Amino acid sequence: MPDSEFWNRIPETCRASLQKVARRLTFEAGETVFLQGDSFRGPYVIDKGIFKVYQLNEAGKEAILNFFFPGSIIAALPMLKIMPVYPASCEAVRDGAVIYLPVDDCVSLMQEAPELKQCFQEDFVSNAEFFKNKTTLLMLHTTEERVLFFLEALGADEREVYLNIPKNQIALYLGVSAEAFSRAFTALKKQGRVTESDGYVRLIAESDS
């Protein structure tokens, strides 16, 4: 079964049982995994590619809540809170694959092995912190500040990060236009705050620039 990072986090007592019911599904960029309001079927683990979770407002405008990378769990909250539907939609940003975990099997295994529930709870807490950061990001006034905050959240202040996300999608996440994002990103490179090479991006501290 792919995605050893995820399976290594699963307690050995229920790893084999969960692997038996898991299904690997592939998606092309732009393809929907689930829609907001769909009946909840279970969580998904990103095995390959990049996926986004988003909601639509009353005007039909898309608001990206988070990007998910390999090893991340999508939709653990509805399972932990026993929610009947998905509270947001999920779509592939790049061609990729997910590991689907049927909710009934997960719930049964969590009843037998509480440590499995703790594994999902830890992932939920991690995502909750990210959503808190998203709220902070939207309070920033300038696009440059939002770009810097986003790159720092990705860890680009500590290492080079492969920014394999279409720039129009990053702009949606930041709540700005694609043109505004491009201008801000270019300005930050000219200021020496950001370096970019072959898609790899690094955030440079002001004292080093």
Side-chain angles (χ1 to χ4, degrees):
M1 178 66 65
D3 196 71
S4 58
E5 178 186 344
F6 168 71
W7 292 114
N8 287 339
R9 302 204 307 265
I10 297 297
E12 290 185 15
T13 52
C14 51
R15 188 179 302 164
S17 297
L18 197 60
Q19 287 177 334
K20 287 181 181 178
V21 299
R23 291 167 48 200
R24 188 174 188 269
L25 308 173
T26 59
F27 293 89
E28 296 181 355
E31 192 172 357
T32 298
V33 181
F34 56 80
L35 290 173
Q36 181 177 346
D38 282 353
S39 296
F40 181 67
R41 301 182 297 274
Y44 297 82
V45 181
I46 306 305
D47 177 53
K48 179 183 177 182
I50 302 173
F51 290 75
K52 67 178 179 180
V53 169
Y54 67 95
Q55 291 180 328
L56 298 178
N57 61 22
E58 294 181 356
K61 186 177 180 179
E62 179 181 315
I64 297 177
L65 304 178
N66 200 355
F67 293 107
F68 289 84
F69 302 86
S72 301
I73 303 174
I74 296 178
L77 175 61
M79 180 174 61
L80 295 171
K81 298 293 185 180
I82 316 178
M83 298 169 65
V85 300
Y86 289 101
S89 301
C90 178
E91 179 183 301
V93 175
R94 296 291 188 188
D95 293 352
V98 299
I99 300 169
Y100 165 59
L101 304 173
V103 60
D104 291 341
D105 294 292
C106 287
V107 171
S108 296
L109 286 171
M110 285 192 295
Q111 292 173 345
E112 298 173 8
E115 59 268 32
L116 176 61
K117 183 176 183 179
Q118 182 178 351
C119 177
F120 285 116
Q121 287 175 328
E122 289 173 353
D123 189 83
F124 166 68
V125 170
S126 176
N127 285 330
E129 184 64 26
F130 195 100
F131 292 135
K132 179 181 177 181
N133 289 342
K134 176 66 184 291
T135 301
T136 302
L137 181 149
L138 294 177
M139 294 175 65
L140 299 174
H141 296 294
T142 72
T143 302
E144 288 184 15
E145 289 176 328
R146 294 187 181 191
V147 173
L148 291 172
F149 190 93
F150 173 69
L151 293 177
E152 185 174 345
L154 290 179
D157 57 331
E158 300 176 350
R159 66 188 186 282
E160 282 190 329
V161 172
Y162 187 45
L163 200 62
N164 192 26
I165 305 174
K167 291 185 177 180
N168 68 316
Q169 294 295 299
I170 298 176
L172 271 175
Y173 174 77
L174 298 180
V176 301
S177 68
E179 294 77 11
F181 170 74
S182 293
R183 287 195 300 269
F185 194 75
T186 299
L188 289 170
K189 288 196 292 184
K190 289 181 178 179
Q191 295 167 21
R193 296 297 313 281
V194 174
T195 62
E196 181 183 29
S197 178
D198 297 325
Y200 286 89
V201 176
R202 180 68 191 267
L203 183 60
I204 308 300
E206 284 188 286
S207 58
D208 298 332
S209 59

